[in-house]
Amino acid sequence: MINAQPFLHFRPQLRGAKEQNTPRMKIRVSEAVALAEAALQKMGYKPHDATITARHLIDSELRGFGAAGLARVLSIRDRLREKGLKDEITKTLESPSTAQLNGHDSLGYLVAQKATEIAIQKAKQTGVAVVGASDTWYTGMLAYYAEQAAREDLVTVIASNASPWVAPSDGYKPMFGTNPFCVGFPSGTGTPVIYDVGTSKILHADILLAQRLGEPLPPDSAYDSAGRVTRDPIEALQGAIAVWGGHRGSGLAITVQLLGALAGSPALPGNLEEFGFLIIAINPAMFRPIDEFKAEIDAYSAKLRQSPPLPGKGPLRMPYERSAAVRARAVESGEFEVQDEIVDMLRRMINSEGPRASI
């Protein structure tokens, strides 16, 4: 059973179905980045580390994944209240094409970013690189790392396991994490082809955000501790999230859990700790000229988009196109929407007394 205790410091009344649209406000992208950086520095993160994390969080917002955006700052705060801030990352093993990092309980945005940078560097030198990182938490959206590698003309396969929050198909006890799996390809058009899928019906972050805002969960997305379907975030934290994709999604989630173990994590990490992150980076130029490879990807993408959709369905698109287009529109407008309450919570935290009073 999940240890939900760190998240039970408040339990707002769930809003009814007609009331669950929390008021939203528009915020400038620059203001959102500054807000996230200020909040993270208030917790004790160094400016450089706060910037790395804030950029990742705001990229999630810009691509339409708000639960993994500014609201995640509050979840980081809650976690630090329990276990304190750690920021040491060490390289424990290394070869010309591999490396293993120990995050020493540091925030995953920082650990995974370092692992990605090492993988890119080694793959450019040797053709293939495999980097594992362990003892971390909250590694974020894997597409963020795959896009960095795609800009360097690299193909990536990335997996990140997590605490057992999700029940396998036909079960209701949590046995693996929300466990994203990601594959990324460079292209010649500027928008890479990236398939980044979580293996649970909703994210752990979705539950925490619903709890903060007093909103119910989507139908059929979680179980309570007795295996009954629930829409109550607190009951879900004490029970389990439903797996995505039935037995196929369950099988994929299990493989991601074990790939995290390959990276150095326990097969069943503790609650919000000991996550494993594995990135494989491949230089396509080992197999064929890079421009030829990207031209093949672009030609295939064009043919897929031209393929006729089923009646009533929209035009077909490649993975990552939708979220990249959402981000481009937000960047062009210079702003995006976020829940008023989340911004208010962050501002109150920043303005609290003392440099680390919020923790």
Side-chain angles (χ1 to χ4, degrees), residues 123-129 152-155 281-287 290:
K124 299 286 276 189
Q125 293 172 345
T126 67
V128 177
E152 298 291 333
D153 288 339
L154 299 175
V155 173
I282 305 164
N283 187 348
M286 292 176 60
F287 305 102
I290 185 63

Side-chain angles (χ1 to χ4, degrees), residues 88-113:
E88 180 185 7
I89 305 170
T90 59
K91 192 181 295 180
T92 56
L93 295 169
E94 186 172 25
S95 77
S97 60
T98 66
Q100 203 279 334
L101 304 179
N102 187 331
H104 297 286
D105 203 36
S106 298
L107 180 59
Y109 296 101
L110 307 176
V111 178
Q113 180 62 39

Side-chain angles (χ1 to χ4, degrees), residues 53-135:
T53 304
R55 287 177 177 173
H56 190 138
L57 298 178
I58 300 309
D59 186 76
S60 298
E61 290 279 6
L62 295 177
R63 293 197 293 116
F65 302 103
L70 284 173
R72 178 57 62 81
V73 178
L74 298 168
S75 298
I76 293 171
R77 175 203 62 185
D78 293 346
R79 205 275 191 178
L80 296 186
R81 282 173 169 167
E82 181 192 11
K83 298 188 177 180
L85 187 151
K86 311 286 177 55
D87 61 1
E88 180 185 7
I89 305 170
T90 59
K91 192 181 295 180
T92 56
L93 295 169
E94 186 172 25
S95 77
S97 60
T98 66
Q100 203 279 334
L101 304 179
N102 187 331
H104 297 286
D105 203 36
S106 298
L107 180 59
Y109 296 101
L110 307 176
V111 178
Q113 180 62 39
K114 185 168 184 177
T116 299
E117 291 171 359
I118 293 172
I120 290 172
Q121 179 185 30
K122 287 181 176 293
K124 299 286 276 189
Q125 293 172 345
T126 67
V128 177
V130 183
V131 180
S134 62
D135 198 6

Side-chain angles (χ1 to χ4, degrees), residues 236-256:
L237 288 170
Q238 296 172 325
I241 305 170
V243 71
W244 163 83
H247 66 277
R248 292 181 178 87
S250 187
L252 179 58
I254 290 169
T255 62
V256 172

Side-chain angles (χ1 to χ4, degrees), residues 235-300:
E235 291 181 352
L237 288 170
Q238 296 172 325
I241 305 170
V243 71
W244 163 83
H247 66 277
R248 292 181 178 87
S250 187
L252 179 58
I254 290 169
T255 62
V256 172
Q257 197 73 17
L258 299 181
L259 285 171
L262 174 64
S265 83
L268 287 173
N271 190 52
L272 258 183
E273 62 183 6
E274 301 181 306
F275 291 11
F277 174 90
L278 185 77
I279 178 169
I280 303 170
I282 305 164
N283 187 348
M286 292 176 60
F287 305 102
R288 60 195 301 185
I290 185 63
D291 290 339
E292 178 183 295
F293 177 65
K294 292 197 292 185
E296 194 70 26
I297 289 175
D298 294 341
Y300 174 78

